[in-house]
Amino acid sequence: MESILQSKNLVQRAYWLIRLRWMAIAGLATATFIANEILNVSLPVRYLYRMSVILIFYNFLLYDLMRYVTWKGRTTTPAAINRIITFQITADWIILTIILHFSGGIENPFYLYFVFHTILTGVLLSKVQSYIQATLAIVLFGALVFLEYLQVIPHYVLTGFLEGVNYRDELYIFGTFFVFSTTIYAVAYLTASISEQLRQQQKELEETNTQLQKKDNLKNEYVLRLTHDIKSHLAAIQSCLDVVNDQLVGSLNDKQIDLIERARRRTGKCLNFISALLKLTRMKLTGQLDMEYFPVRNVLFNSLATVERTAKEKEISISHQIGEGVDEIYGEPVLVEETLTNILFNAAKYTPEHGKIEVNIKDENEGVLIEVKDNGIGIPQQDLGRIFEEFFRAENARKIEKDGTGLGLSFARQVVERHKGSIWAGNNPEGGSTFSIRLPKRPY
Amino acid sequence: MNPARILIVDDDADITEAMRIVLESKGHTIDAAIDSKDAASRIKSQKPDLIILDVMMSTKSEGFDFARELKKDAKTRDIPILMLTAIKEKTGIDFKPAAGDETWLPVEDFLDKPVKPEQLIEKVESLLK
């Protein structure tokens, strides 16, 4: 079925109709009460209250039916939901007609309520179905009016509201029926055509989205191949330079040593960048992660060991605290370790000598919160929202290290998002910044 | 350290050359192969004391497959393998008994490219002990 609503949304709408009906039932009972008791309009209240009770049972039945159809594990086809919605609307038309019959027929202005379901069919069902339903509404209303006119069925007079004999006034009947029919068809047409346009647009958007994803994948594959190739070349260059630098093929003079050292440094920087890009792209392309349960503390200790030397060189003290209850989490330990290492490296890089880094891991009900707090240069306020973007580097960070890749934090974000966690950063009031990572403990 | 016979299996001739110079400086004899087929015939004609194996050759897993083959064969099982790969990025080496676990990665140790001369010498010497 073509609907602007996906089958899941259609199910939600079917339940929504049931919920709306509860309000309608309450409305019917209240309106009957008010009309009869307060406005002193004579009504066959007994029938109308009975009608409310029947409606309650009917709505419970529909609810059970929906529960049955959408029960866990059962495959719910859009066609089945479509049938239930069609059934609901058809039944509602009939009930509305019966209620109208007991409350004055054509003399009751509540016949305008036929419009609601006309709109609903236009949105929820196909164009053809909405015209069929509109025709059904007109036939039902027409039958009511004409059968009352021909006195085949009794007419309940709304004493105290309209006391004339309008239900037998031909001009009034034909006029009202004509306006009613044209209104219903016009509403059906307007709703259906707007919905159809929306459906069309949605389809186009979905197609565009699929194409964009395909193109993005293609781009990533290209980048992956390219970076992999470049990395091989750089690795070969570096290996050859190392051999020369180590004077394994003859001794070098000071100038030669200096130049080789410069070349090695540049190749090394290039390699770092390419390796980071390779890692990020590879992760974007591979859907599956190698998930397992692992202790967070192991990851922390490995990361701390990796950054130890950098921190020592700058005499930065790193302390850590692991909260009570922090134990295993579910994820890719190597990726989590690399993420934490990236954050720690950043902290060490952008914290001046003799600085301080504190790592705090706290247990939360559903996950763990890892906080890395430093007293370094902080993040300029205007850059806070952008630091996790690819290739973005904060202004003050660029001043400290000219050749950063701008990929470390976007890698971290990629990893955390893959784990259905979250990552964010903020500045501390006393200076420096805090990076926080929240990771779930269990599979999602 | 006794001089050993080392087979380098890598399709990158420049890397092989650099490694050859580093290892020859320590007195080792180097043999080189560009793919697993070439390597297999070289191993047959003269068994090396150590194999340095690149993970990515013509196919993504050629290195792995070749290592598994060598470990299955009783004649070559005892030759230590040093694999050249960035495997640490992809697997949980610090948490799993990876190297030596036959079902997973049948190599004794591994190194990521670019290989630093001092690292290469260190790994090779520890594997030859």
Side-chain angles (χ1 to χ4, degrees):
Chain A
M1 188 197 69
E2 301 172 40
S3 169
I4 42 169
L5 304 166
Q6 297 295 323
S7 107
K8 195 179 148 204
N9 294 341
L10 210 57
V11 171
Q12 284 170 357
R13 283 299 175 193
Y15 276 115
W16 172 71
L17 274 182
I18 292 169
R19 282 200 301 279
L20 281 183
R21 196 170 294 103
W22 290 126
M23 291 202 281
I25 296 167
L28 170 64
T30 315
T32 307
F33 179 81
I34 291 173
N36 193 53
E37 304 289 328
I38 299 171
L39 304 175
N40 288 321
V41 178
S42 83
L43 280 168
V45 279
R46 207 186 301 155
Y47 288 124
L48 289 171
Y49 284 135
R50 258 181 225 167
M51 218 44 226
S52 308
V53 175
I54 292 169
L55 270 170
I56 290 172
F57 280 112
Y58 158 69
N59 212 25
F60 268 124
L61 202 75
L62 275 176
Y63 181 72
D64 282 344
L65 186 68
M66 273 307 288
R67 293 261 297 186
Y68 174 77
V69 173
T70 59
W71 198 254
K72 253 186 191 166
R74 197 185 294 281
T75 40
T76 311
T77 59
I81 306 295
N82 186 3
R83 272 199 296 278
I84 293 181
I85 290 181
T86 310
F87 171 74
Q88 285 195 51
I89 288 168
T90 310
D92 284 349
W93 291 134
I94 295 169
I95 291 162
L96 180 59
T97 311
I98 295 171
I99 293 169
L100 273 181
H101 168 61
F102 286 122
S103 56
I106 198 165
E107 290 164 7
N108 187 347
F110 275 102
Y111 65 75
L112 286 174
Y113 278 24
F114 273 99
V115 167
F116 298 147
H117 280 54
T118 313
I119 295 171
L120 281 175
T121 47
V123 176
L124 297 178
L125 306 178
S126 72
K127 206 170 185 172
V128 175
Q129 280 174 307
S130 80
Y131 282 127
I132 292 173
Q133 289 293 326
T135 308
L136 177 67
I138 291 165
V139 167
L140 282 168
F141 184 66
L144 170 72
V145 169
F146 289 105
L147 290 177
E148 283 190 13
Y149 168 76
L150 298 171
Q151 294 180 316
V152 176
I153 52 172
H155 173 74
Y156 294 90
V157 183
L158 290 176
T159 318
F161 181 66
L162 272 180
E163 307 215 8
V165 280
N166 296 317
Y167 79 102
R168 301 230 40 175
D169 178 339
E170 279 117 18
L171 194 63
Y172 174 73
I173 291 173
F174 278 107
T176 306
F177 183 67
F178 174 75
V179 173
F180 176 83
S181 312
T182 46
T183 305
I184 292 293
Y185 275 132
V187 168
Y189 165 73
L190 291 174
T191 323
S193 64
I194 291 171
S195 301
E196 199 172 60
Q197 199 182 353
L198 288 174
R199 273 171 213 153
Q200 191 58 35
Q201 279 173 359
Q202 180 166 337
K203 222 171 115 189
E204 280 166 20
L205 281 175
E206 275 166 8
E207 273 165 19
T208 315
N209 200 26
T210 318
Q211 287 205 327
L212 280 176
Q213 271 173 353
K214 266 191 202 155
K215 278 189 180 155
D216 195 46
N217 263 1
L218 209 67
K219 185 210 80 188
N220 281 333
E221 267 161 30
Y222 174 73
V223 171
L224 190 69
R225 239 189 9 240
L226 196 72
T227 42
H228 185 261
D229 279 0
I230 295 176
K231 196 188 166 193
S232 317
H233 296 315
L234 287 171
I237 295 172
Q238 186 84 321
S239 299
C240 293
L241 286 174
D242 281 343
V243 170
V244 179
N245 185 59
D246 285 5
Q247 315 208 16
L248 295 170
V249 284
S251 53
L252 303 172
N253 64 35
D254 287 350
K255 194 64 209 164
Q256 285 166 332
I257 290 174
D258 176 53
L259 284 170
I260 290 287
E261 186 48 43
R262 283 169 196 268
R264 280 179 71 218
R265 205 170 46 231
R266 296 301 283 266
T267 328
K269 280 187 173 159
C270 209
L271 258 168
N272 281 346
F273 178 76
I274 287 292
S275 301
L277 190 59
L278 194 62
K279 239 183 278 175
L280 183 67
T281 316
R282 198 179 277 145
M283 190 164 50
K284 277 186 183 169
L285 275 171
T286 51
Q288 246 4 73
L289 295 183
D290 251 346
M291 304 292 264
E292 61 181 288
Y293 282 100
F294 65 92
V296 195
R297 64 178 66 229
N298 285 12
V299 165
L300 173 65
F301 294 150
N302 286 339
S303 298
L304 288 174
T306 315
V307 291
E308 201 184 353
R309 215 180 68 182
T310 314
K312 241 184 203 157
E313 277 168 10
K314 293 174 77 178
E315 289 180 53
I316 293 170
S317 73
I318 305 184
S319 63
H320 66 265
Q321 202 172 5
I322 299 171
E324 214 172 292
V326 173
D327 193 14
E328 293 197 328
I329 63 167
Y330 188 75
E332 239 272 30
V334 180
L335 289 178
V336 174
E337 181 189 321
E338 236 169 292
T339 301
L340 190 55
T341 308
N342 273 349
I343 305 280
L344 281 170
F345 255 127
N346 273 354
K349 220 185 294 177
Y350 303 118
T351 296
E353 287 188 6
H354 309 292
K356 212 167 62 177
I357 298 172
E358 291 166 37
V359 186
N360 209 340
I361 306 187
K362 290 176 200 158
D363 181 60
E364 290 183 335
N365 282 337
E366 299 298 316
V368 292
L369 177 68
I370 306 171
E371 286 175 329
V372 177
K373 185 178 167 191
D374 63 48
N375 61 353
I377 57 169
I379 304 154
Q381 203 58 37
Q382 74 271 15
D383 291 344
L384 261 176
R386 299 193 59 197
I387 52 168
F388 293 102
E389 286 175 21
E390 271 165 52
F391 303 109
F392 182 82
R393 300 198 62 217
E395 217 179 288
N396 55 351
R398 243 177 302 170
K399 272 182 200 148
I400 287 187
E401 208 200 31
K402 213 175 88 219
D403 306 305
T405 62
L407 291 172
L409 288 178
S410 54
F411 175 82
R413 186 178 65 175
Q414 243 339 289
V415 171
V416 172
E417 281 177 0
R418 283 292 181 92
H419 284 76
K420 303 277 178 245
S422 45
I423 184 167
W424 66 98
N427 286 316
N428 311 323
E430 67 274 20
S433 54
T434 300
F435 280 79
S436 312
I437 301 172
R438 181 173 281 130
L439 289 171
K441 283 184 198 164
R442 265 163 271 288
Y444 27 82
Chain B
M1 186 76 247
N2 290 328
R5 184 172 188 83
I6 299 170
L7 173 65
I8 301 174
V9 191
D10 195 330
D11 57 355
D12 189 325
D14 299 328
I15 296 229
T16 306
E17 187 55 25
M19 285 195 289
R20 177 204 294 275
I21 294 167
V22 171
L23 293 171
E24 278 178 351
S25 77
K26 292 284 156 187
H28 302 299
T29 310
I30 306 302
D31 199 2
I34 52 159
D35 56 29
S36 52
K37 218 173 133 192
D38 186 14
S41 70
R42 278 168 200 277
I43 293 168
K44 225 177 204 174
S45 63
Q46 194 166 13
K47 192 174 164 184
D49 303 309
L50 173 75
I51 298 169
I52 297 175
L53 183 60
D54 180 38
V55 71
M56 295 248 222
M57 285 182 283
S58 59
T59 64
K60 266 191 177 175
S61 60
E62 189 179 340
F64 284 115
D65 297 340
F66 185 54
R68 282 202 189 92
E69 264 172 50
L70 289 174
K71 293 295 172 186
K72 266 187 222 155
D73 190 338
K75 278 181 244 158
T76 52
R77 186 174 294 159
D78 56 327
I79 310 172
I81 299 173
L82 172 60
M83 188 157 258
L84 299 181
T85 170
I87 204 71
K88 196 176 186 300
E89 281 167 20
K90 284 186 261 171
T91 56
I93 196 64
D94 290 293
F95 309 101
K96 289 180 197 165
D101 177 354
E102 259 195 338
T103 56
W104 182 76
L105 181 63
V107 301
E108 275 63 27
D109 211 338
F110 44 84
L111 261 179
D112 189 14
K113 284 184 188 176
V115 180
K116 295 233 166 295
E118 57 274 22
Q119 271 181 340
L120 179 64
I121 291 164
E122 192 193 307
K123 293 260 178 188
V124 164
E125 293 195 342
S126 79
L127 286 175
L128 285 174
K129 260 177 202 163

